[in-house]
């Protein structure tokens, strides 16, 4: 693990291919097309964040405001490279997005997680606990009905309501060192 600074920032189109490679290197994440990753880095840049160390993308969170429910941020995907794991980076990245002016009306965070994805459960349960917010679970996309049995069931996780603590714990671009994450 490098002691170099990790910098958080909004993604840009130049991050599309690096995001594609990062997601591919982070099973069990679903790989999207590179075009989809480019859209995440452009159309959804205000509600997404990337983390860089030594000019390399080491983590990314993509999300969007749910149409018709702009008080809800849906977290589409969280990817953390193997050498950046275990530093609390995912939670810091969620807080960074929520602290942005575009998310000033957000009171709920939603995502989907498969039952076996322990890392994602730990991230979202820990985030809810740190925010003092409730966490509700319900089945959203069932394996046989929605994925023809090709993928496990996706469970909808809804965290909220989020208070001022969630909105103040991130602040745009952030530098993170190993010592800060301990």
């Amino acid at each position: 693990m490098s002691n170099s600074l990790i910098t958080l920032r909004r993604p840009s189109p130049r991050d599309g291919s690096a995001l594609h490679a990062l997601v591919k290197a982070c099973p069990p994440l679903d790989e999207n097309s590179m075009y989809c990753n480019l859209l995440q880095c452009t159309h959804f840049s205000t509600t997404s964040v990337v983390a860089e160390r030594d000019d390399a993308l080491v983590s990314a969170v993509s999300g969007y405001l749910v149409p018709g429910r702009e008080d809800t941020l849906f977290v589409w995907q969280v990817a953390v490279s193997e050498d950046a794991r275990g530093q609390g980076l995912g939670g810091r990245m969620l807080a960074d997005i929520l602290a942005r002016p575009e998310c000033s009306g957000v009171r709920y965070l939603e995502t989907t997680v498969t039952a076996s994805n322990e890392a994602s459960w730990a991230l979202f349960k820990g985030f809810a606990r740190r925010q003092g917010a409730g966490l509700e679970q319900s089945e959203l996309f069932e394996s046989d009905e929605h994925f023809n049995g090709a993928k496990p069931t996706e469970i909808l996780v809804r965290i909220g309501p989020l208070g001022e603590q969630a909105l103040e714990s991130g602040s745009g671009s952030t530098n993170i060192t190993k010592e800060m994450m301990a």
Side-chain angles (χ1 to χ4, degrees), residues 133-147:
L135 184 149
E136 298 174 0
Q137 306 173 41
S138 61
E139 191 175 279
L140 183 62
F141 298 122
E142 197 274 328
S143 178
D144 291 330
E145 182 179 348
H146 298 105
F147 297 117

Side-chain angles (χ1 to χ4, degrees), residues 94-169:
L94 293 174
D96 183 85
I97 294 169
L98 289 167
R100 296 179 183 170
E102 296 87 354
C103 292
S104 63
V106 170
R107 295 293 171 253
Y108 296 92
L109 184 146
E110 291 182 350
T111 192
T112 61
V113 181
T114 59
S116 63
N117 190 334
E118 294 176 18
S120 287
W121 283 111
L123 168 64
F124 292 108
K125 285 180 178 180
F127 185 78
R129 185 176 50 255
R130 285 189 304 279
Q131 304 313 317
L135 184 149
E136 298 174 0
Q137 306 173 41
S138 61
E139 191 175 279
L140 183 62
F141 298 122
E142 197 274 328
S143 178
D144 291 330
E145 182 179 348
H146 298 105
F147 297 117
N148 295 325
K151 261 184 65 53
T153 296
E154 292 279 349
I155 299 165
L156 176 67
V157 175
R158 182 171 170 87
I159 299 171
L162 300 173
E164 293 303 313
Q165 182 179 354
L167 304 177
E168 293 173 1
S169 41

Side-chain angles (χ1 to χ4, degrees), residues 77-105:
Q77 204 163 46
V78 177
V80 182
S81 66
E82 192 170 329
D83 68 334
R85 293 178 187 157
Q87 302 178 52
L89 189 53
R92 300 262 325 214
M93 295 174 80
L94 293 174
D96 183 85
I97 294 169
L98 289 167
R100 296 179 183 170
E102 296 87 354
C103 292
S104 63

Side-chain angles (χ1 to χ4, degrees), residues 20-99:
H20 187 75
L22 175 65
V23 169
K24 185 175 186 173
C26 294
L29 292 181
D30 286 334
E31 289 182 49
N32 296 302
S33 68
M34 193 175 304
Y35 183 77
C36 178
N37 295 134
L38 283 165
L39 291 176
Q40 289 171 309
C41 292
T42 55
H43 291 186
F44 302 104
S45 66
T46 61
T47 51
S48 299
V49 62
V50 294
E52 284 183 315
R53 181 187 317 136
D54 300 327
D55 296 321
L57 205 66
V58 297
S59 187
V61 174
S62 60
Y64 58 89
L65 298 178
V66 177
R69 292 191 296 131
E70 285 75 18
D71 68 340
T72 303
L73 174 71
F74 187 87
V75 176
W76 183 347
Q77 204 163 46
V78 177
V80 182
S81 66
E82 192 170 329
D83 68 334
R85 293 178 187 157
Q87 302 178 52
L89 189 53
R92 300 262 325 214
M93 295 174 80
L94 293 174
D96 183 85
I97 294 169
L98 289 167

